[in-house]
Amino acid sequence: MSTQEKLLITPAEWEVMRVIWANGPMTSKEIQEVLEKETGWKTATTKTFIGRLKVKKALSAEKEGRQFIYSAGVFERESVKEEITSSFEKVCNRKIGTYLNDYIETTTLSQQDILLLLESLESKLDDAPVEVPCQCLEGQCNCQDCQ
């Protein structure tokens, strides 16, 4: 897989990537069979998304006989991390903790996940500032720095 660059993919393209990440290299027919069960997409729809992902270099293709075998061109964890980072770049730094908490409260987590989060938070606590700086432009939020 290549070095991760900022990857802008649609929710439908994420569905294709999740199939590849879960199953490894696959033909378009195999990808389509998985997605048709869950989404009802026809072959042409799946092939359109595969083609777009190839252009974006999220998928690579290797010819094997008369068919192509598609593989992930990007790592799942890095792609998800980039997606999350991109989402949080759109809000005031001072609200990120609240939004993370909102998400955690509404998500089912395993005990192992909770312990991992607790460990991460504990390790950050000593070096955490009392307050994070606002990075918003004037008028984008209502914190003290912007008023």
Side-chain angles (χ1 to χ4, degrees):
M1 289 188 221
S2 68
T3 301
Q4 187 79 31
E5 294 178 20
K6 191 165 189 169
L7 182 62
L8 301 173
I9 60 175
T10 66
E13 291 166 347
W14 272 100
E15 297 298 327
V16 174
M17 291 305 301
R18 290 184 65 199
V19 170
I20 291 289
W21 285 324
N23 297 286
M26 302 175 79
T27 65
S28 62
K29 181 178 176 154
E30 291 169 329
I31 297 167
Q32 194 272 326
E33 287 172 353
V34 171
L35 290 171
E36 185 177 33
K37 287 179 200 172
E38 299 301 318
T39 65
W41 293 348
K42 300 299 178 202
T43 302
T45 303
T46 302
K47 285 187 176 183
T48 296
F49 293 133
I50 290 170
R52 290 178 186 170
L53 289 164
K54 277 181 51 188
V55 168
K56 295 175 183 184
K57 297 186 177 156
L59 287 181
S60 60
E62 194 172 305
K63 191 160 176 99
E64 192 174 282
R66 295 180 60 185
Q67 58 191 0
F68 285 95
I69 306 296
Y70 296 95
S71 302
V74 293
F75 293 104
E76 179 180 18
R77 187 169 184 169
E78 291 176 15
S79 298
V80 171
K81 188 175 178 180
E82 178 61 40
E83 187 77 11
I84 292 166
T85 300
S86 176
S87 293
F88 281 120
E89 287 173 347
K90 297 174 179 119
V91 299
C92 179
N93 283 342
R94 293 184 177 180
K95 296 178 182 177
I96 291 174
T98 300
Y99 295 145
L100 278 172
N101 189 64
D102 290 347
Y103 184 73
I104 289 168
E105 285 184 346
T106 59
T107 302
T108 302
L109 298 169
S110 70
Q111 290 183 3
Q112 184 177 351
D113 291 335
I114 293 168
L115 290 172
L116 178 65
L117 287 167
L118 287 170
E119 184 179 313
S120 294
L121 291 170
E122 281 286 327
S123 72
K124 292 184 76 67
L125 188 58
D126 289 339
D127 295 329
V130 173
E131 187 173 76
V132 294
C134 174
Q135 88 296 359
C136 300
L137 300 175
E138 188 175 337
Q140 285 185 328
C141 72
N142 57 4
C143 70
Q144 296 283 337
D145 288 352
C146 294
Q147 295 179 350

